[in-house]
Amino acid sequence: MVANPTEVDSSPLPSSKRSAPQSQPRRKRTWFGVLQDLYFYFLAYIFFAWLTIGPFFWTWHAAVYADGPKWVAQFYQPLAYLCELCPPLSWLVNEWVNYWIL
């Protein structure tokens, strides 16, 4: 039986060696892009710290004022500094903690 020519692979390279379609070249990173990414990561970190301080309040309290895990105190320290600098953020964090502990 003769194979149909449309079904026969006429490429001399094995199927795994064929080149994939070329994608666009990557853009160069700029300092503005790096700073923009750092700003985004910082905001995401602060939001995550704010979101988790409510359920972890007593663990944080034990870490700061008793002999608790010190990594917890260090994790929430930037949020504490921001609360000192920005009273509306301090109010928001206090309300969030009160929701969880009261």
Side-chain angles (χ1 to χ4, degrees), residues 7-22:
E7 295 176 8
V8 175
D9 189 9
S10 62
S11 175
L13 296 174
S15 62
S16 63
K17 299 285 184 184
R18 290 188 199 137
S19 62
Q22 294 296 326

Side-chain angles (χ1 to χ4, degrees), residues 29-46:
R29 294 282 297 199
T30 62
W31 282 107
F32 179 73
V34 171
L35 293 176
Q36 194 175 23
D37 288 347
L38 286 175
Y39 180 71
F40 172 74
Y41 294 143
F42 177 72
L43 288 180
Y45 165 74
I46 293 299

Side-chain angles (χ1 to χ4, degrees), residues 40-56 71 75-76 79 82 89 93 96 100:
F40 172 74
Y41 294 143
F42 177 72
L43 288 180
Y45 165 74
I46 293 299
F47 178 74
F48 182 74
W50 171 78
L51 193 63
T52 59
I53 189 66
F56 282 101
W71 69 268
F75 178 79
Y76 290 108
L79 183 64
L82 281 177
L89 180 65
V93 169
W96 182 245
W100 283 92

Side-chain angles (χ1 to χ4, degrees), residues 53 55-74 76 101:
I53 189 66
F56 282 101
F57 175 75
W58 292 115
T59 306
W60 172 82
H61 189 274
V64 172
Y65 299 110
D67 194 22
K70 296 303 176 195
W71 69 268
V72 174
Q74 292 171 351
Y76 290 108
I101 65 171

